[in-house]
Amino acid sequence: MSTALTYQSGFGNEYASEALSGALPQGRNSPQKVAHGLFAELMSGTAFTAPRAANQRTWMYRRQPSAVAGGYEPLAHATLKTGAKDGVVVAPNPMRWDPTPIPETAMGFVQGLHTVAVNGDADAQVGLAVHLYLVNRSMVDSAFVNADGEMLIVPQTGALTITTELGVLEVAPGEIALLPRGMAFRVAVDGPSRGYICENYGAAFRLPELGPIGSNGLANRRDFLAPVAAFEEPGNACRIVRKVGGALWAATLPSTPFNVVAWHGNLAPVKYDTANFMTIGSISFDHPDPSIFTVLTSPSDTPGWANCDFVIFPPRWLVAEDTFRPPWYHRNMMSEFMGLVHGQYDAKPEGFRPGGMSLHNCMVPHGPDAEAFERASNAALAPHKLEDTLAFMFESRWRFHPTEFAMNGGALDARYAECWAPLAATKG
């Protein structure tokens, strides 16, 4: 990947950037005439009257307003779904999927979206969808706008170059990208690429509260990187695809939408390297709740019951004494969708492979498989480091509904539940 890009540091900062000197107005947001003949345009991520601490907006100074577009026409998509209504009825079983192959036929980012699980309602601004992207071709003279939700992108194989209205992000496996709702973007790949997406219909992702952890720990604001202003010269017409209410619509722009010469505000795309996550864990005994691994949270209207938590399980030391170190057997109110970026997940040493997925819905019992239980129950409890691993979880208070693609796309592991069969009942 290129090392030429520069970034602005911080999450939710009041950023400012200009690609041409003097393009960014000083002291006012919408002067009568903007420098260089640019147009001022505001993008709001919250209601205008949201509390100042929660208000999100960015002023853009662009060569042409985004309102300049042809009429939109419907665009069919067989594997992109939105909201609980698009799920199928399934038994309350634990579910797991093998990695889905990347097609050999040419597949761009929008065409390569395959929805795996859904909940909530995009129009009600609650819940989320989980997608796979299976891509082997860069988007050319095209762009995508998602008005239904922000998109948290988790690459699993293959690096992405994401061009947005505010600048360019380069994102590799081990990193994540967070793209605001309603912002145009384009994805380029350097080869066959696969990854996961959380399409969040609810409250925007933010850093979780730290509580008794205090002022330091988990993800730090300064490790989130926003792009600097970069614009493209006018060129060919651009096909823009817009997602609204679960439907796709396509229109033609006279030129590139990536024409923002300067911008300022706190609503911006960002990337984050999970290697910078400061893990917290027990240094005495017992296994802490996985909420200590939360990178980002989308809260709901009930404190503590997240619309979605994004949780990672990165490399870390295990030192607790007289403790079963993998996750305990459990069943939760919160529903858990997991993916594996690379390496091995300590509770599932076999069967859960990079690029795979699992789903344990509300109150579905799950935990270490028989092999992991046997190994952890008899291991010498010396300090041990889990290395070369990165798993993640999208956790939601809303039950996930698998899609038709998830159930019948060929990757479902029908024998997943057998991993617990050797755990015989104790006698006495």
Side-chain angles (χ1 to χ4, degrees), residues 217-295:
L218 311 189
N220 294 309
R221 289 186 184 275
R222 67 188 181 95
D223 293 322
F224 288 81
L225 303 177
V228 297
F231 62 93
E232 297 178 344
E233 296 294 338
N236 299 330
C238 178
R239 183 172 186 257
I240 190 161
V241 176
R242 186 177 295 271
K243 182 174 184 289
V244 182
L248 293 185
W249 303 81
T252 300
L253 304 182
S255 186
T256 176
F258 307 112
N259 58 24
V260 176
V261 177
W263 62 274
H264 75 89
N266 62 354
L267 180 64
V270 292
K271 60 176 279 187
Y272 175 74
D273 187 345
T274 61
N276 292 323
F277 187 81
M278 178 182 166
T279 55
I280 302 292
S282 172
I283 55 172
S284 57
F285 60 88
D286 278 354
H287 185 104
D289 188 89
S291 59
I292 60 172
F293 298 110
T294 301
V295 181

Side-chain angles (χ1 to χ4, degrees), residues 35-218:
H36 302 291
L38 302 173
F39 296 86
E41 180 174 305
L42 175 66
M43 180 174 175
S44 298
T46 54
F48 291 130
T49 54
R52 183 185 291 265
N55 208 298
Q56 293 184 322
R57 87 288 178 265
T58 286
W59 282 93
M60 306 178 191
Y61 304 94
R62 57 196 316 152
R63 290 183 159 185
Q64 190 172 52
S66 58
V68 179
Y72 281 88
E73 299 291 339
L75 178 66
H77 197 301
T79 58
L80 182 61
K81 306 298 178 182
T82 301
K85 61 181 174 54
D86 283 344
V88 298
V89 177
V90 296
N93 296 322
M95 285 179 271
R96 183 167 69 189
W97 290 266
D98 295 326
T100 303
I102 302 169
E104 294 183 0
T105 55
M107 190 75 70
F109 182 81
V110 177
Q111 301 96 317
L113 294 173
H114 294 69
T115 309
V116 177
V118 287
N119 64 29
D121 185 318
D123 284 334
Q125 297 182 351
V126 63
L128 64 138
V130 180
H131 314 288
L132 282 177
Y133 66 83
L134 307 169
V135 180
N136 55 25
R137 183 181 66 180
S138 298
M139 297 172 68
V140 178
D141 294 330
S142 62
F144 184 51
V145 175
N146 189 347
D148 284 343
E150 63 181 343
M151 301 183 78
L152 174 61
I153 300 177
V154 184
Q156 188 271 317
T157 184
L160 307 179
T161 299
I162 305 174
T163 300
T164 77
E165 293 177 82
L166 305 189
V168 181
L169 300 173
E170 290 186 331
V171 188
E175 298 177 315
I176 61 171
L178 182 60
L179 307 179
R181 180 196 304 254
M183 183 164 289
F185 67 92
R186 179 180 66 212
V187 177
V189 297
D190 61 1
S193 301
R194 176 176 58 208
Y196 312 87
I197 297 175
C198 174
E199 181 188 11
N200 174 27
Y201 315 136
F205 276 116
R206 64 193 68 173
L207 294 177
E209 299 298 332
L210 292 176
I213 294 175
S215 59
N216 298 288
L218 311 189

